[in-house]
Amino acid sequence: MRVYAGTDIGQRRQVNQDYVYASVEAVGNLPNLFVVADGMGGHNAGDYASSCAVHVLVDTVREDANYDPIKIMRYGIESANLKILEEAAKSEARKGMGTTMVAATVVGNYVYVANVGDSRLYVIHQGIRQITKDHSLVQEMVRLGEIQEEEAINHPDKNIITRALGVTRSLDVDFFDLEIGPDTMILMCSDGLSNMVTNEEIADLLGRPGNLKEKGKALIRLANANGGKDNIAVVLIEPFTKEVEE
């Protein structure tokens, strides 16, 4: 398995509220674990929310005696949600903080995915396919047929999300599982990438020669070149190779 994980503050933000985690080694009963979280909240609340949520998820997964990947990730994300609510209640500065989260684990020939919010997971294999569904106001409008997909790209309400960790005690998490083949690449990212770089640009760049680190950094550079309006988080995974890239 080969992996690249990185974040960038972007061109407009003062604080990096994106947080990534990537382990090709087992985490508890999961054979590997990859996470992208995009925090929200004033001052330092957003970066605290994303990092805290990921740490709680990882710690919970380590201690979980279950063997079902979906159940393990569900309990980890629900635990992270409760922790964010608990920490927000302790401090006025952290009141209202929250975070998106997309998490994945590769088990054999399958990838299991959990997501809340608008951070995404794509599979790249003979083209690019978004697996997760954005929990955002604009995507809800697309699903209801109120606007077209083309109109969503530059919609003024594009950044309004409808689900996040840290909003309510009851959390609705989406889960996906799909079979992947030997030439598959997985991309996880925050909206700082997906709002700045089109799917076609992502697929084109990832199809060029180069290692994962070069490709991951190139995606971040392109997001910045296209405006860099938000923090950028990228996790790239090639599941069926032996080398690991730091």
Side-chain angles (χ1 to χ4, degrees):
M1 181 176 284
R2 192 159 55 198
V3 176
Y4 167 78
T7 68
D8 189 87
I9 196 168
Q11 301 295 309
R12 308 273 185 94
R13 304 293 190 185
Q14 301 300 311
V15 177
N16 190 349
Q17 298 186 334
D18 285 2
Y19 197 87
V20 297
Y21 176 87
S23 175
V24 297
E25 304 297 332
V27 181
N29 288 331
L30 295 182
N32 46 68
L33 180 61
F34 310 99
V35 191
V36 169
D38 179 358
M40 58 190 186
H43 303 291
N44 295 325
D47 62 322
Y48 179 83
S50 58
S51 62
C52 177
V54 173
H55 289 143
V56 172
L57 168 68
V58 172
D59 289 345
T60 306
V61 168
R62 280 201 184 104
E63 297 170 5
D64 198 326
N66 219 306
Y67 283 93
D68 183 328
I70 297 297
K71 289 181 179 177
I72 293 170
M73 289 194 291
R74 181 191 296 278
Y75 184 59
I77 293 172
E78 288 173 348
S79 298
N81 178 58
L82 294 177
K83 182 64 173 178
I84 296 301
L85 287 167
E86 178 187 321
E87 292 298 312
K90 292 179 183 176
S91 165
E92 188 64 30
R94 292 174 179 165
K95 184 178 180 182
M97 71 177 178
T99 184
T100 70
M101 182 173 282
V102 57
T105 185
V106 178
V107 184
N109 291 327
Y110 285 82
V111 58
Y112 297 88
V113 186
N115 94 289
V116 180
D118 61 355
S119 293
R120 294 180 176 180
L121 184 143
Y122 295 91
V123 165
I124 296 92
H125 178 70
Q126 298 176 349
I128 184 169
R129 181 160 58 110
Q130 182 182 339
I131 303 303
T132 54
K133 297 178 181 177
D134 295 353
H135 303 139
S136 68
L137 179 63
V138 168
Q139 282 303 312
E140 293 292 344
M141 292 165 70
V142 171
R143 282 193 280 273
L144 291 171
E146 295 175 4
I147 62 171
Q148 297 299 310
E149 191 70 56
E150 297 74 25
E151 297 175 82
I153 295 171
N154 296 308
H155 197 282
D157 294 330
K158 191 172 176 64
N159 64 332
I160 299 175
I161 59 175
T162 54
R163 289 190 219 170
L165 281 73
V167 178
T168 60
R169 293 184 67 84
S170 176
L171 184 67
D172 192 5
V173 185
D174 280 357
F175 294 96
F176 307 87
D177 62 272
L178 66 152
E179 190 171 8
I180 52 176
D183 298 324
T184 301
M185 184 184 296
I186 296 167
L187 167 64
M188 300 165 67
C189 65
S190 64
D191 66 341
L193 180 76
S194 57
N195 283 344
M196 292 288 101
V197 184
T198 67
N199 288 5
E200 291 74 19
E201 288 174 317
I202 292 171
D204 175 66
L205 194 154
L206 294 180
R208 297 176 190 175
N211 61 40
L212 276 198
K213 185 174 183 178
E214 291 167 344
K215 292 178 180 182
K217 288 183 174 293
L219 284 174
I220 290 171
R221 283 197 303 273
L222 184 55
N224 277 320
N226 288 350
K229 294 179 181 179
D230 203 349
N231 309 142
I232 306 150
V234 170
V235 175
L236 279 174
I237 309 156
E238 286 182 336
F240 303 114
T241 57
K242 295 178 180 179
E243 312 94 311
V244 177
E245 290 182 11
E246 297 297 335

